[in-house]
Amino acid sequence: ILYKDSISESKNSINAVKDFGRNALADLRNTIWAMKQQNGTFETLLLKVNELVSKLNESLSNLTIEIVNEVNENFHLSSTQMLNLYRIIQEAIQNAIKHSGATSVTINFSNNDLKFILVVADNGKGFKITENYSGNGIKNMKRRCNEIGGDFDIESSDSGTRIKCVIEFGNYK
């Protein structure tokens, strides 16, 4: 019995290392994609997000992710802006999958004459924002938004969580 437990633990460790390697490779690919986009645009980011959402919708049976694009013009985004916005979206979706029990996530892009606005909202159980959590997800999303000149906001209640990153036009156009 001890031998079987040892084999099982070894398999779990190997699988954890494989998953870590896969995730690291995916992160590296996304970073390279963003670095190649020195003259990126909102449309380039939208294509990459559509690709992510398509893959996730194919693999998740209990969660549907929708993109709502209300942007009325294409505009320039730096590689750092594209990567950080993409990572915020990834983290918000990951949090919804892992913690919220949500059945729906909406990624909304919009703009006006002064601002570009990203909102990721889910219909999950929410959480108390004032409580300290052991993970770094929310801190990382805030840091990434601030790093690209944006203002970060999060709201959460028993009807879901809403993450918002607003970048003033002068900071991205």
Side-chain angles (χ1 to χ4, degrees):
I1 294 173
L2 187 59
Y3 177 71
K4 283 184 180 179
D5 288 344
S6 179
I7 290 173
S8 180
E9 285 178 29
S10 295
K11 283 182 180 178
N12 288 341
S13 294
I14 289 169
N15 285 335
V17 169
K18 280 175 30 181
D19 288 344
F20 177 80
R22 264 193 222 110
N23 290 336
L25 186 58
D27 285 346
L28 181 60
R29 284 185 180 133
N30 289 329
T31 301
I32 291 169
W33 162 79
M35 289 171 55
K36 287 181 177 178
Q37 308 298 325
Q38 288 301 323
N39 293 313
T41 64
F42 168 71
E43 287 180 359
T44 307
L45 173 65
L46 185 60
L47 287 171
K48 189 71 172 169
V49 173
N50 268 311
E51 182 183 302
L52 172 68
V53 167
S54 292
K55 285 180 185 175
L56 289 171
N57 279 334
E58 286 176 17
S59 64
L60 299 170
S61 59
N62 57 343
L63 180 73
T64 302
I65 304 167
E66 176 186 15
I67 298 172
V68 177
N69 179 14
E70 300 174 331
V71 170
N72 55 26
E73 64 177 290
N74 196 17
F75 48 84
H76 172 76
L77 288 170
S78 72
S79 59
T80 302
Q81 289 170 322
M82 287 198 310
L83 182 62
N84 283 9
L85 289 166
Y86 186 79
R87 293 272 195 254
I88 290 167
I89 293 165
Q90 278 184 311
E91 184 67 40
I93 292 170
Q94 184 174 332
N95 287 347
I97 292 168
K98 283 184 172 181
H99 308 294
S100 79
T103 58
S104 173
V105 173
T106 302
I107 303 163
N108 184 283
F109 298 105
S110 62
N111 71 321
N112 61 34
D113 290 342
L114 304 174
K115 299 175 182 176
F116 168 68
I117 304 153
L118 164 67
V119 175
V120 183
D122 68 53
N123 67 346
K125 63 185 177 186
F127 65 98
K128 287 188 168 82
I129 296 171
T130 56
E131 289 184 14
N132 274 341
Y133 289 90
S134 59
N136 290 313
I138 293 170
K139 289 181 223 166
N140 286 338
M141 287 187 284
K142 181 176 182 172
R143 178 188 53 79
R144 289 181 188 282
C145 182
N146 294 155
E147 189 177 275
I148 56 176
D151 291 318
F152 182 82
D153 185 50
I154 185 167
E155 298 171 5
S156 193
S157 69
D158 59 2
S159 60
T161 300
R162 184 175 175 264
I163 292 160
K164 187 176 186 180
C165 180
V166 179
I167 305 171
E168 289 190 36
F169 237 133
N171 291 338
Y172 72 84
K173 202 166 184 187

